[in-house]
Amino acid sequence: MRSAHSSTSHLVLALAASLMTGVAASTGAQAAGAASKCSGDNGGISLPEGFCASIFADNIGHARQMAVAPDGTLYVNTWSGRYYKNDTPPPGGFLVALKDKDGDGNAELVERFGESVADGGHGGTGLALHKDAVYAESNDRIMRYPLAEGEVAPKVKGETVVSGFPLTGDHPMHPFAITKDGGILSGMGSATNACEVKNRMPGSPGVTPCTEKETRAGIWRYDAAKTGQVLSAKERYAAGIRNGEGIAIDAKGRIFVTQHGRDQLHENWPKLYTAKQGFELPSEEVVELKPGGDYGWPECYYDPTQKKLVLAPEYGGDGGKKVGLCADRLAPVAAFPAHWAPNDMKFYTSKGTETAFPKAYQDGAFIAFHGSWNRAPGPQGGYSVVFQPFKDGKASGDYVVFADGFAGAVKEPGRADHRPSGIAVGPDGALYISDDVKGRIWRVTYQGGNASAPVSAAPAPKAPATASKDELPPEGVHPDAGRAVASLPVPEGSSKEQVALGERVFHGEQGGATCGGCHGSDAKGSPVGADLTTGQWLWSDGSLKGIEAVVTNGVPEPKAAGGAMPPMGGVELSQADLKAVSAYVWALGQQK
């Protein structure tokens, strides 16, 4: 079983492989029979035996979080934030109402509402339903859209419930949930990785005290019944949560939040952490939210091997031994592999319908993992939906990967086909999963007919073929077959082989760097790293020698990009890898 408590990634992989082998050996014929009951191919994803998926909607924009009304209407928030390049949102508002009128698992009625591009809107992540109204994040605020009886989409203009949310820094999203008594609990992601003096730069100490926590890196509480509220430090409900994307309430009213763990322990502190530790630490977390609680960021991180919070190197940590003030911080109730990026979470409490999931899933949590960018030199991970059993507010067993195959051939942010982002549970027990790459929404139902079926993992997705036996060399046998690097220009004194090596270094396949994580797998930039394909250079003349110097020295204070670049990309590149990746970057800027 894929374990939430594994101490290292190789143990996670070994356990997962064991489970997959067992599933394949013991239930292969049954799985094939169950699959035959599903119409289509489950929208391209892999699910456990007895579960089927339909494509409820497609191409609706960068779909983030969702909620389902009692009549089955699905409401979705879409985003056009700076994380999406070459973005042309669909016409109309960023909010979408979807309704399946004929019960075939697909939404025939699609209505858009809320702020549009013409209104200056960019959409958002958070969305919830409360007292016949849709509440949704838009830019720096939460809006309320009252629903009249019989309406699928609100027709009135929204009103501002709370505003002034921060949009700068590393985490500009504001997911939220609404409690039964009308409390809006909204996450404010941190502006930095670990509250460093110089964000993400090697050896930079943490700011003491971390004043960022006054309005970031925690959960804030507001009143859903009031308008005109404004963010301030006094409404902080809980602190020390670096990026709490998934906020969920269980059947008992307990509140839980997922946490994206910090990055770059090895890259920024290579004398304290090996490259392997860099991609295995720290855990992603689920914490139980307590008023006034502090969950450790930035001074602490959770070590899954020791199963405790330990002191971060920016605050005097020694690589995992010192605990210090972390002894007084609140530890998670469940932990997951590093850098998987938990973007949403919902508890499954639907009972008594034909399509409801088996009893073993009751009161457990489904978590959408958006997928990693910084697990090099190990494989990237996440890009899946997991099920975590819960009992009495604690994890009651190992998690399983419930839905897989979203990414397609490559688990990498810029090349993944789809990335899970939102989770919702309908009144009929259906589970909805959103994708913020191409705007697809899956509707998952149980067709197995066995209410006593145990929790089980999805079979490993079928990997698509990357080459055909009929292809002639070099396409069928060369390690760079099909890669765009073959058409790139070559700098004087270099070679095609060196440029090809640089492409592999850039994507973290060699050398341990994660260049593509910041600059995008297509090198066209991200909120963190600059576009390398324009031929415009701010830190050198663009010559091969100049690029080598920039990579060697890093960029501690960017002129245009959002994130600093550590020397050598934060790793110890060999001279051969340095020259190769510089040649590749030069070629990117020279291509026609």
Side-chain angles (χ1 to χ4, degrees):
M1 189 169 288
R2 304 189 197 184
S3 172
H5 311 295
S6 303
S7 59
T8 61
S9 63
H10 72 268
L11 179 56
V12 172
L13 294 173
L15 290 169
S18 173
L19 175 62
M20 293 302 101
T21 301
V23 169
S26 63
T27 64
Q30 293 175 319
S36 67
K37 298 176 184 178
C38 301
S39 59
D41 65 348
N42 287 333
I45 62 174
S46 173
L47 295 165
E49 177 187 352
F51 291 88
C52 300
S54 62
I55 298 177
F56 192 71
D58 218 353
N59 301 310
I60 65 166
H62 301 297
R64 300 288 283 184
Q65 295 185 349
M66 307 174 287
V68 192
D71 69 353
T73 303
L74 179 72
Y75 294 93
V76 189
N77 203 349
T78 68
W79 195 23
S80 182
R82 53 193 173 89
Y83 287 98
Y84 304 107
K85 303 187 297 292
N86 303 319
D87 186 34
T88 304
F94 282 99
L95 298 168
V96 191
L98 302 159
K99 194 171 184 65
D100 177 7
K101 299 180 69 176
D102 58 10
D104 65 351
N106 311 112
E108 294 81 25
L109 184 60
V110 180
E111 294 188 18
R112 306 187 76 91
F113 65 99
E115 294 183 330
S116 66
V117 173
D119 301 319
H122 297 286
T125 289
L127 182 140
L129 300 176
H130 181 68
K131 290 189 175 180
D132 298 320
V134 180
Y135 288 72
E137 173 196 2
S138 180
N139 296 0
D140 69 337
R141 57 197 182 278
I142 293 175
M143 306 288 291
R144 178 171 61 202
Y145 297 88
L147 273 165
E149 186 175 353
E151 280 186 342
V152 173
K155 300 297 188 293
V156 299
K157 187 176 181 180
E159 52 189 355
T160 300
V161 176
V162 57
S163 62
F165 290 176
L167 296 174
T168 57
D170 290 357
H171 306 115
M173 301 75 69
H174 311 104
F176 63 90
I178 303 179
T179 62
K180 286 185 179 180
D181 64 355
I184 296 177
L185 296 169
S186 182
M188 306 291 164
S190 71
T192 59
N193 178 36
C195 205
E196 311 99 309
V197 173
K198 291 188 176 181
N199 188 33
R200 299 181 183 271
M201 290 305 294
S204 182
V207 176
T208 304
C210 181
T211 53
E212 183 183 330
K213 290 172 69 174
E214 294 174 4
T215 54
R216 307 290 293 258
I219 304 295
W220 268 249
R221 191 183 192 281
Y222 292 93
D223 189 338
K226 295 181 179 179
T227 58
Q229 300 167 95
V230 180
L231 173 75
S232 73
K234 69 178 184 293
E235 289 92 22
R236 190 178 71 181
Y237 186 83
I241 300 174
R242 178 175 176 270
N243 188 24
E245 288 266 358
I247 306 172
I249 304 170
D250 74 1
K252 298 291 186 181
R254 291 173 293 222
I255 305 161
F256 298 83
V257 183
T258 64
Q259 168 153 227
H260 289 223
R262 50 110 16 104
D263 302 322
Q264 296 168 307
L265 282 169
H266 168 66
E267 289 88 345
N268 289 352
W269 303 91
K271 292 182 179 179
L272 296 177
Y273 301 91
T274 66
K276 187 169 182 288
Q277 288 176 308
F279 71 76
E280 290 179 342
L281 295 173
S283 291
E284 307 289 49
E285 304 174 33
V286 172
V287 303
E288 184 178 358
L289 202 63
K290 303 286 187 180
D294 191 313
Y295 297 85
W297 185 91
E299 299 93 348
C300 314
Y301 67 86
Y302 188 75
D303 184 320
T305 304
Q306 302 182 72
K307 294 183 172 56
K308 65 181 182 181
L309 291 166
V310 297
L311 203 60
E314 291 82 2
Y315 290 88
D318 56 0
K321 296 186 181 72
K322 289 184 180 180
V323 173
L325 57 78
C326 303
D328 298 323
R329 300 295 190 260
L330 297 175
V333 297
F336 304 88
H339 314 305
W340 276 23
N343 265 23
D344 199 7
M345 174 173 63
K346 293 292 189 298
F347 283 91
Y348 192 88
T349 56
S350 182
K351 301 177 182 177
T353 66
E354 291 183 2
T355 54
F357 290 8
K359 294 178 183 177
Y361 291 89
Q362 290 295 323
D363 299 320
F366 286 96
I367 305 172
F369 283 98
H370 201 222
S372 68
W373 62 269
N374 56 340
R375 285 177 63 89
Q380 300 301 336
Y383 303 89
S384 61
V385 173
V386 312
F387 175 75
Q388 173 63 64
F390 269 83
K391 184 177 181 180
D392 298 327
K394 305 287 184 183
S396 59
D398 295 336
Y399 72 84
V400 299
V401 175
F402 174 81
D404 207 352
F406 296 92
V410 183
K411 286 187 174 181
E412 198 274 340
R415 292 188 281 177
D417 290 338
H418 304 281
R419 302 182 72 184
S421 189
I423 295 283
V425 180
D428 61 351
L431 182 76
Y432 295 85
I433 304 167
S434 70
D435 149 58
D436 68 348
V437 176
K438 298 177 181 177
R440 176 171 292 185
I441 295 174
W442 291 263
R443 181 177 183 267
V444 180
T445 58
Y446 182 64
Q447 306 293 333
N450 181 7
S452 299
V455 170
S456 57
K462 294 179 180 179
T466 56
S468 167
K469 293 181 181 178
D470 298 328
E471 286 180 321
L472 297 174
E475 289 82 359
V477 297
H478 195 281
D480 295 319
R483 301 176 85 140
V485 67
S487 62
L488 291 177
V490 177
E492 186 177 352
S494 187
S495 65
K496 281 190 174 292
E497 289 73 20
Q498 190 175 43
V499 173
L501 170 61
E503 193 258 3
R504 295 196 293 276
V505 173
F506 185 89
H507 289 106
E509 297 168 17
Q510 180 164 328
T514 53
C515 312
C518 292
H519 293 284
S521 64
D522 57 5
K524 292 185 178 179
S526 78
V528 180
D531 187 339
L532 302 176
T533 67
T534 64
Q536 299 177 350
W537 307 100
L538 299 180
W539 291 95
S540 78
D541 58 3
S543 66
L544 183 58
K545 184 177 180 181
I547 293 170
E548 282 186 19
V550 173
V551 176
T552 300
N553 298 323
V555 180
E557 297 180 359
K559 296 177 181 178
M565 185 181 83
M568 293 290 195
V571 297
E572 297 178 7
L573 289 177
S574 68
Q575 283 300 302
D577 288 348
L578 167 64
K579 291 184 178 299
V581 76
S582 298
Y584 175 65
V585 171
W586 179 94
L588 289 171
Q590 297 293 325
Q591 62 184 327
K592 301 299 182 183

